[in-house]
Amino acid sequence: KSKKSESESSSRASEMSSVYSDLSSRSDATLSEYSTPQERIKILLERMGEKRSSTRIQSLKSFIKLLQTKFLPHELEDIMFTVRDRLVNCIKSKDNKESTLAAEAIGLVSLNQCEINSPELLKTLKTIMGDHSKHSNLRASAARTLAMLVFVEGIGRQDTIDCMQELQEYFNSKDVVVLQGVVSAWTLLASSLTRETLVLSILASVGHLLTKLLDTKNVQVKEVAGRAVALLIAAYTEVESTSDLKMDHKSEATIEEFLDNATEKLQNLASASSKSQSKKDRAKQRGNFRVFLRTVEEEEEPSETLHINENEISIDGWNKTLQLWEMRRWLSLGLQKHLQENTMLADIFDFELRYLTKDEIKEAREDKIYHAKINARARKKEIRDGWSKKTSALVSFDDE
């Protein structure tokens, strides 16, 4: 073991020295000078080690944007020791903003199919999540990143359930930002389990906690709790109709109480008219909870179709829909790029990657430019017509 640790330390040191040997004199250069993503990653890692917090924060923002818009498994894997060391140092920073960005970057590295996970990192994330002196955004980000690492690694059903139980401990938090983060993280992990596991191992212990969250005043917390409730109800409905459930009397009574309370609260929220909320919040809440309510009353689950590289990707059911929503939150505008190249997303959403030829790429680009020009002309015509109507109205008013 000692020989192995010595060899790992020496390889890590040699890797870091090779990464930075040609960058020490170029730390102030702009990223535009570097043509390849690997060169950009190296200079960003160099800047993450600077003493000034503002420099580290800016480099983390650029690193996050790069990971969202590009799929870079090979570029990251070659220097993974360095990437892990830099991000772990940043997440332990006293600056909450820097730590929050580092947590997000760690989650994105894992989405790029790189093994950044380690016992030390998981322990750090759990410590941050439970530290009430940390900023709410940092604690929520730590919860989401922890869930993403466990989700991507797929390290086993029991490990997933254990992580979910740790997240459940914060369901009574009075901090709405933390609450939203831990419930979203819990829901992502729940969506990775089979429906039999959700019903037999999860539902009885957590159902009452989620229905309680539907009474909170915060719209975002209600929405994420509603998603989790809809997933559990869909799982129970499917399992009950397809198999013979064997549960003790106490669990059956608990689940029946959960179903009754959840149905009543979803119905109230789907037709809410409280004046304490803004008109926009009320409309959003009613729309979202009508979707959740259809799962209860009509056994209907959401579905969506994505079009990627002339492929149709069908997203059916709450499990895949929740995973897609979470990927959208993590990858933002880079989701389409990752769906085109990331084999892990292909496995998650069960489709086959199709790579376009050069001619097809050229044709798609020309078609995009063509439609952009048409839209621009239409917009200009709309503006001109609008000004013409205003001018006519003013002239008519002057004549009168």
Side-chain angles (χ1 to χ4, degrees):
K1 289 183 179 178
S2 61
K3 289 181 179 179
K4 185 178 179 181
S5 61
E6 287 175 6
S7 62
E8 286 181 352
S9 300
S10 61
S11 64
R12 184 182 303 184
S14 62
E15 178 196 299
M16 293 182 71
S17 62
S18 64
V19 168
Y20 301 131
S21 60
D22 62 331
L23 296 170
S24 57
S25 61
R26 300 187 291 172
S27 59
D28 294 330
T30 59
L31 286 176
S32 59
E33 296 178 20
Y34 304 100
S35 57
T36 65
Q38 191 166 20
E39 289 177 342
R40 295 178 188 175
I41 290 171
K42 287 181 179 180
I43 195 65
L44 287 171
L45 292 174
E46 169 71 8
R47 291 174 181 175
M48 286 180 203
E50 293 288 334
K51 291 184 177 180
R52 282 192 300 178
S53 177
S54 59
T55 303
R56 296 196 302 270
I57 288 172
Q58 188 56 49
S59 64
L60 283 166
K61 287 180 179 178
S62 300
F63 188 58
I64 288 170
K65 186 176 181 181
L66 184 62
L67 295 180
Q68 286 177 331
T69 55
K70 302 284 185 182
F71 179 53
L72 307 168
H74 304 299
E75 291 83 351
L76 290 167
E77 198 64 48
D78 292 341
I79 51 172
M80 185 45 59
F81 280 132
T82 309
V83 173
R84 185 184 292 112
D85 285 344
R86 283 290 188 238
L87 293 179
V88 168
N89 287 337
C90 288
I91 203 173
K92 291 180 179 179
S93 169
K94 294 181 180 179
D95 189 312
N96 283 305
K97 187 174 183 180
E98 180 183 344
S99 299
T100 303
L101 291 170
E104 186 175 352
I106 289 168
L108 287 167
V109 170
S110 69
L111 275 174
N112 275 266
Q113 295 186 10
C114 295
E115 296 182 6
I116 193 172
N117 200 0
S118 69
E120 179 193 358
L121 181 55
L122 292 177
K123 183 179 178 181
T124 300
L125 291 169
K126 292 174 183 178
T127 302
I128 292 172
M129 194 168 60
D131 190 347
H132 294 273
S133 65
K134 299 292 186 182
H135 194 276
S136 302
N137 289 333
L138 172 56
R139 295 177 63 200
S141 184
R144 289 180 184 274
T145 301
L146 175 66
M148 182 54 69
L149 292 177
V150 175
F151 176 78
V152 170
E153 291 286 332
I155 52 181
R157 189 189 74 169
Q158 191 55 50
D159 293 302
T160 300
I161 293 174
D162 291 342
C163 185
M164 290 169 67
Q165 289 174 344
E166 291 181 11
L167 292 167
Q168 283 172 214
E169 295 176 6
Y170 301 94
F171 278 14
N172 294 321
S173 175
K174 295 181 180 179
D175 190 322
V176 294
V177 177
V178 174
L179 202 52
Q180 185 182 352
V182 295
V183 175
S184 295
W186 184 94
T187 307
L188 174 65
L189 293 178
S191 70
S192 68
L193 297 175
T194 63
R195 296 200 159 180
E196 290 80 4
T197 302
L198 285 175
V199 173
L200 298 174
S201 304
I202 304 296
L203 181 52
S205 63
V206 77
H208 66 286
L209 296 175
L210 291 170
T211 52
K212 186 178 178 182
L213 292 177
L214 295 175
D215 294 327
T216 57
K217 294 181 179 180
N218 186 274
V219 177
Q220 286 76 23
V221 173
K222 285 181 182 179
E223 184 178 344
V224 293
R227 292 175 182 177
V229 168
L231 172 65
L232 293 177
I233 291 176
Y236 179 79
T237 303
E238 180 181 319
V239 173
E240 185 189 35
S241 63
T242 57
S243 61
D244 184 19
L245 291 175
K246 296 180 180 180
M247 292 185 289
D248 57 81
H249 180 70
K250 185 178 179 181
S251 296
E252 287 182 356
T254 303
I255 291 174
E256 287 298 328
E257 184 182 0
F258 158 73
L259 293 172
D260 292 339
N261 291 338
T263 302
E264 181 183 356
K265 290 182 179 181
L266 290 175
Q267 287 172 341
N268 293 336
L269 290 167
S271 58
S273 58
S274 173
K275 293 183 179 179
S276 62
Q277 292 179 315
S278 67
K279 186 176 180 180
K280 182 179 179 181
D281 285 345
R282 285 200 304 271
K284 182 181 179 182
Q285 177 180 302
R286 287 196 295 266
N288 290 330
F289 280 91
R290 282 168 188 161
V291 176
F292 305 152
L293 191 59
R294 281 198 290 271
T295 299
V296 180
E297 297 180 340
E298 304 172 20
E299 299 183 9
E300 179 183 333
E301 298 189 43
S303 62
E304 183 178 350
T305 302
L306 304 178
H307 297 272
I308 305 294
N309 283 358
E310 299 183 1
N311 280 351
E312 286 192 356
I313 305 172
S314 297
I315 310 295
D316 299 316
W318 276 112
N319 294 66
K320 297 301 180 187
T321 299
L322 290 169
Q323 291 167 11
L324 178 63
W325 285 349
E326 197 64 17
M327 293 304 163
R328 278 181 174 144
R329 197 201 70 81
W330 276 94
L331 297 171
S332 187
L333 297 177
L335 175 64
Q336 188 168 13
K337 180 69 173 179
H338 278 263
L339 286 172
Q340 291 172 351
E341 300 180 6
N342 195 327
T343 53
M344 184 185 69
L345 294 188
D347 292 337
I348 291 172
F349 298 118
D350 193 24
F351 70 94
E352 185 176 349
L353 288 177
R354 179 179 180 275
Y355 299 99
L356 297 177
T357 63
K358 290 184 178 180
D359 291 337
E360 288 175 325
I361 293 173
K362 183 180 178 181
E363 183 179 351
R365 187 182 296 116
E366 290 175 350
D367 187 59
K368 186 176 180 180
I369 293 171
Y370 172 74
H371 285 291
K373 288 180 178 178
I374 290 177
N375 292 335
R377 289 181 193 138
R379 179 59 182 159
K380 287 179 180 178
K381 185 177 184 301
E382 184 182 346
I383 293 172
R384 285 197 302 268
D385 291 345
W387 279 112
S388 177
K389 290 178 182 178
K390 289 180 181 179
T391 304
S392 299
L394 288 172
V395 170
S396 176
F397 179 76
D398 288 343
D399 291 343
E400 290 176 2

